[in-house]
């Protein structure tokens, strides 16, 4: 069955990925990107790239039409790519994620989200549901600097493949 739903992301949507964990299969992450050009001739190191990771609930149970709603959002460096890593096949990494302190968390997806960012970093996030509210949120897990020591200012992380 093919569904169609729309949601205003405010910034340009660059990537959308559904969570691979069955318990969170209705959750999609949308990565956005906005380039703020400077008046200094458009040099890469003088431009600002910001973005947002939007956590969306996509309800496909309706017989009439699916509904997409915003659960939460996280302001981040510009999003060029996002990918999920299912942790079912990586038990040692899953143990590390579960051991990380996440105050008030009831449930966590068995997956990590990776975000290739405009600042040259790869950020990873866990998807969690808190004790005191049903909202699903991304929680930053680890950061990896992908820039080499001799990289020029403005170096970007463009893509991610697990």
């Amino acid at each position: 069955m093919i569904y169609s739903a729309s949601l205003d992301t405010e910034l340009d949507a660059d990537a959308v990925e559904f969570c691979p964990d069955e318990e969170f299969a209705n959750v999609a992450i949308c990565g956005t990107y906005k380039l703020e050009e400077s008046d200094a001739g458009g040099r890469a190191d003088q431009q600002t790239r910001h973005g947002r990771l939007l956590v969306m609930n996509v309800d496909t149970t309706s017989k009439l039409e699916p509904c997409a709603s915003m659960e939460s959002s996280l302001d981040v460096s510009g999003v060029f790519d996002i990918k999920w890593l299912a942790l079912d096949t990586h038990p040692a990494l899953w143990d590390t994620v579960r051991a990380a302190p996440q105050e008030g968390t009831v449930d966590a997806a068995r997956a990590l989200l990776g975000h290739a960012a405009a600042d040259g970093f790869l950020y990873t996030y866990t998807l969690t549901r808190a004790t005191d509210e049903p909202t699903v949120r991304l929680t930053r897990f680890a950061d990896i600097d992908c820039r080499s020591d001799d990289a020029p200012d403005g170096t970007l992380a463009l893509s991610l493949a697990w």
Side-chain angles (χ1 to χ4, degrees), residues 3-7 18 26-28 56-71:
Y3 292 103
S4 171
S6 65
L7 189 66
F18 276 87
N26 63 313
V27 175
M56 301 179 299
N57 180 16
V58 181
D59 180 5
T60 59
T61 58
S62 170
K63 298 284 187 210
L64 301 174
E65 166 177 328
C67 175
S69 60
M70 187 81 62
E71 288 276 321

Side-chain angles (χ1 to χ4, degrees), residues 29-106:
I29 306 299
C30 176
T32 65
Y33 174 88
K34 173 85 171 156
L35 174 63
E36 300 290 343
E37 295 191 51
S38 70
D39 294 334
R43 289 184 30 196
D45 62 343
Q46 296 176 342
Q47 296 174 336
T48 303
R49 296 167 179 87
H50 60 272
R52 194 171 290 140
L53 291 170
L54 308 171
V55 180
M56 301 179 299
N57 180 16
V58 181
D59 180 5
T60 59
T61 58
S62 170
K63 298 284 187 210
L64 301 174
E65 166 177 328
C67 175
S69 60
M70 187 81 62
E71 288 276 321
S72 60
S73 67
L74 188 62
D75 289 330
V76 296
S77 180
V79 178
F80 289 124
D81 197 13
I82 55 175
K83 294 280 186 299
W84 285 103
L85 175 66
L87 296 177
D88 291 339
T89 57
H90 300 15
L93 186 53
W94 173 235
D95 289 342
T96 303
V97 169
R98 283 192 317 190
Q102 296 177 0
E103 192 173 314
T105 299
V106 166

Side-chain angles (χ1 to χ4, degrees), residues 105-141:
T105 299
V106 166
D107 202 7
R110 292 182 63 94
L112 276 180
L113 180 74
H115 157 213
D119 61 4
F121 278 75
L122 167 66
Y123 297 99
T124 59
Y125 305 87
T126 57
L127 187 65
T128 58
R129 185 176 293 119
T131 315
D132 54 348
E133 58 184 69
T135 303
V136 177
R137 298 188 182 284
L138 287 173
T139 302
R140 196 133 126 213
F141 180 68

